[in-house]
Amino acid sequence: MSFKNVFDSGGDEAGSAKQSTQALNSDTPGAGDVSGAVRDLEGQRDPWLVRQTAHGALDVMGFLGPLFQKFQDVSADQRQVSEDPGSVSSMASSAMNKASESLKVEIRDEDLPRISDTRSFLLITTGLGRSEGLALDLSRKTAYVPDRSGQKLSAVDLATGAQRVVASGLGDIGDVAVDGNGTAYTTDYGGSRLLAVDLSNGSSRLVAAVTAAYGVALDGTGKAYVANWNDGQLVAVDLQSGEKRTIAGGLVHASGVALDRNGKAYVGQSDGTTLYEVNLADGTKRVVTSLQGANTARVELDGAGKAYVTDQSGGRLYEVGLADGAQRVVASGLGHPFGVVLDAGNGQIYVGNQEGQLWRLSQRAAQVLGGIGKVVA
């Protein structure tokens, strides 16, 4: 049966019921208007007696007539819809258009997906030799990785992983820092030197002789801070004159160096568990934390009160609170990691290891409970 037949049938039945009600109303004695006197008489009777008139029933019939009329009208409307569904579609479309006019959608840049968000970690490249340091030049989207066994410095394209040697003959190279103006500064542990390397042609020159020079950091004002591993010292070096002075001692097996914007340096131990804080103005120091069963080889600051520390003995990356020393592992399975650099603008952490691998980790993933976990190639 079609919808049309259904609605036709419904309309006919409602119409028939209406006509029957009207006929009953007209043929029943007393139907129609009932005088007030009659109703007063009815009201004086005992309600428990059988009523002698049908006025109550007549009132009901007066109600049923309009009701059946409503049924008939609805049936007619439904029939119209079944024959012309486009009328309903047009009405719905009009309502949607009006709703859309008042609805404004805004998608911010930070809401858009980024490539860095698709994976919590990525192996960018390998074959970089025995690496114990790392530096980034974000303006060139390039990482600089020293190879201690090969005495060379390599540049890695962060987008493609392509690598090339930019300088060689750099001695027992342990760490590297770049100034963003085309010069890298490297430490030569065995040769007790701080070198300046021209990244455009690979030439190098002596900046200063520093005993057992290992870790290095630049302050952006023309000074380098170098860790003397043998004597446990932090040494400040003027990059132009080569003049140097010892800032602090007692930093056993001083390794990685990181600087904040408040005149503090943070120094780790490649063969120890301690992370130190050193006041550059007066050389005073304090222990930030001691990692249980882990080394503090290299240090990187996030600028928000936390440090990322590589543990080369356990293959882990730690996050450490600088104020209270709170610590937790944010990544493991990193081989023998040393170099660590943070690209805060893009939410990425770069880690290099002695296996010659360069890893990129998601800073967002590192913040969640449990961190990234174990990375695998």
Side-chain angles (χ1 to χ4, degrees):
M1 178 180 290
S2 67
F3 284 111
K4 180 178 183 301
N5 291 336
V6 171
F7 296 132
D8 284 347
S9 176
D12 292 342
E13 293 296 335
S16 298
K18 177 187 175 184
Q19 292 173 5
S20 298
T21 303
Q22 291 173 344
L24 180 61
N25 195 41
S26 62
D27 294 340
T28 302
D33 294 336
V34 181
S35 66
V38 173
R39 293 191 180 276
D40 290 342
L41 178 60
E42 290 289 339
Q44 296 172 6
R45 293 189 177 186
D46 187 344
W48 294 103
L49 297 178
V50 178
R51 300 188 65 177
Q52 301 299 313
T53 66
H55 293 138
L58 294 175
D59 289 341
V60 173
M61 287 189 290
F63 162 75
L64 290 176
L67 179 60
F68 287 132
Q69 177 63 49
K70 291 293 183 182
F71 283 153
Q72 190 174 23
D73 294 342
V74 169
S75 296
D77 292 341
Q78 290 176 328
R79 175 181 176 182
Q80 180 182 357
V81 170
S82 69
E83 293 177 343
D84 184 16
S87 63
V88 177
S89 176
S90 299
M91 181 172 62
S93 177
S94 176
M96 178 63 74
N97 290 338
K98 287 190 174 296
S100 299
E101 289 176 0
S102 61
L103 180 64
K104 296 182 179 181
V105 178
E106 180 182 359
I107 300 177
R108 300 169 297 180
D109 290 341
E110 57 265 32
D111 296 327
L112 297 174
R114 299 180 181 180
I115 295 177
S116 61
D117 296 333
T118 60
R119 292 190 60 182
S120 60
F121 60 87
L122 177 68
L123 178 61
I124 295 178
T125 192
T126 189
L128 295 169
R130 185 184 172 186
S131 172
E132 296 185 10
L134 180 63
L136 293 186
D137 186 338
L138 294 177
S139 65
R140 294 175 171 83
K141 298 180 180 180
T142 301
Y144 292 93
V145 184
D147 174 9
R148 189 169 184 179
S149 58
Q151 302 186 9
K152 66 180 185 293
L153 182 66
S154 294
V156 178
D157 187 308
L158 294 175
T160 66
Q163 56 180 276
R164 60 186 177 86
V165 175
V166 294
S168 57
L170 300 176
D172 190 13
I173 182 172
D175 202 3
V176 58
V178 293
D179 65 1
N181 296 313
T183 301
Y185 294 87
T186 63
T187 56
D188 175 7
Y189 173 79
S192 295
R193 303 180 298 171
L194 176 66
L195 303 176
V197 179
D198 188 328
L199 296 173
S200 65
N201 57 30
S203 62
S204 61
R205 63 178 177 84
L206 176 67
V207 176
V210 180
T211 302
Y214 191 39
V216 61
L218 306 179
D219 70 354
T221 66
K223 287 187 175 64
Y225 289 83
V226 181
N228 173 343
W229 191 87
N230 285 357
D231 301 327
Q233 297 174 335
L234 181 64
V235 180
V237 179
D238 186 291
L239 297 175
Q240 292 298 320
S241 66
E243 181 181 352
K244 59 189 178 182
R245 67 185 179 92
T246 299
I247 301 296
L251 308 171
V252 181
H253 292 169
S255 178
V257 181
L259 307 174
D260 70 5
R261 299 176 181 177
N262 300 308
K264 303 287 179 60
Y266 293 87
V267 182
Q269 296 178 298
S270 61
D271 285 341
T273 64
T274 303
L275 176 64
Y276 295 99
E277 177 187 86
V278 177
N279 188 318
L280 297 178
D282 58 16
T284 59
K285 63 181 184 294
R286 72 176 180 92
V287 173
V288 175
T289 193
S290 291
L291 302 181
Q292 298 299 317
N295 297 138
T296 55
R298 296 284 191 245
V299 186
E300 174 75 340
L301 307 180
D302 71 352
K306 294 180 180 179
Y308 290 103
V309 179
T310 52
D311 166 28
Q312 91 277 9
S313 63
R316 293 164 293 198
L317 177 66
Y318 279 81
E319 179 188 84
V320 176
L322 298 178
D324 58 9
Q327 55 186 261
R328 68 186 185 95
V329 176
V330 297
S332 60
L334 291 166
H336 294 84
F338 273 82
V340 56
V341 181
L342 175 64
D343 175 9
N346 292 304
Q348 298 165 343
I349 308 168
Y350 291 87
V351 177
N353 61 22
Q354 285 185 326
E355 288 74 19
Q357 299 172 326
L358 178 60
W359 290 91
R360 185 180 72 193
L361 312 179
S362 166
Q363 187 181 12
R364 178 183 298 178
Q367 297 306 308
V368 303
L369 184 65
I372 294 171
K374 184 176 182 179
V375 303
V376 292

